[in-house]
């Protein structure tokens, strides 16, 4: 049996959703190391674009229909060693709720000043820059 490497595993696509001056964060039922609160996210399926995966995962996890606006970049996540892509999204329809009870425990719409309370280890630089630009401070 061979050990899985970062390159063998599917990438993770995250949706950075801002609505009415707040960003959506979800809390996973099972923590990944220090990670508890994060953006709606999940594995990119074979042949699926990262932006499409972010939109699909948001719908599956929160019930929200969102539209991808633009890529905010990608990286190897320093805590999980998984390839992460981040997509800025806007709400098209729906009300956010915990739609996937197996995956999520709760969700929160956070103001700019609340983000460090939920994500004390900081955000990916390009995501933080985007939120600094778009959220009231």
């Amino acid at each position: 049996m061979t050990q899985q490497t970062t390159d063998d595993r599917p990438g993770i696509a995250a949706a950075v959703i801002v609505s009415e001056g707040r960003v959506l964060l979800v809390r996973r039922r099972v923590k990944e190391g220090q990670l508890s609160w994060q953006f709606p996210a999940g594995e990119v399926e074979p042949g699926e674009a990262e932006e499409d995966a972010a939109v699909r995962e948001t719908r599956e996890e929160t019930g929200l229909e969102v539209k991808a606006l633009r890529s905010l970049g990608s990286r190897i996540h320093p805590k999980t060693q998984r390839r992460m892509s981040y997509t800025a999204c806007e709400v098209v329809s729906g009300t956010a709720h915990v739609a996937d009870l197996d995956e999520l425990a709760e969700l929160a719409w956070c103001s700019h000043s609340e983000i460090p309370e939920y994500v004390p280890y900081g955000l990916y630089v390009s995501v933080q820059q985007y939120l600094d630009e778009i959220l009231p401070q």
Side-chain angles (χ1 to χ4, degrees), residues 63-134:
L64 274 182
E65 290 293 333
V66 298
K67 177 175 83 171
L69 299 176
R70 67 180 171 103
S71 172
L72 298 175
S74 63
R75 67 173 173 167
I76 300 300
H77 197 284
K79 307 271 186 209
T80 65
Q81 300 305 305
R82 298 287 296 265
R83 184 182 192 291
M84 292 284 307
S85 64
Y86 301 86
T87 301
C89 296
E90 69 179 3
V91 176
V92 174
S93 66
T95 300
H97 64 281
V98 175
D100 187 338
L101 297 172
D102 293 333
E103 292 263 333
L104 301 184
E106 61 184 314
L107 53 78
W109 287 99
C110 303
S111 67
H112 188 278
S113 64
E114 292 171 322
I115 295 169
E117 297 170 34
Y118 288 87
V119 189
Y121 43 81
L123 298 174
Y124 177 47
V125 173
S126 66
V127 170
Q128 186 66 59
Q129 289 170 341
Y130 172 73
L131 293 175
D132 290 348
E133 291 168 12
I134 197 165

Side-chain angles (χ1 to χ4, degrees), residues 34 52 57 73 116 136-137:
Q34 291 182 329
D52 293 339
E57 286 290 339
Q137 297 186 36

Side-chain angles (χ1 to χ4, degrees), residues 10-15 17 40-68 87 89 99-100 103:
I12 304 293
I17 306 158
E43 289 187 352
V44 179
E45 294 177 353
E48 186 177 39
E50 292 170 337
E51 292 84 0
D52 293 339
V55 168
R56 176 183 51 76
E57 286 290 339
T58 298
R59 181 176 53 255
E60 291 173 1
E61 292 183 355
T62 72
L64 274 182
E65 290 293 333
V66 298
K67 177 175 83 171
T87 301
C89 296
D100 187 338
E103 292 263 333

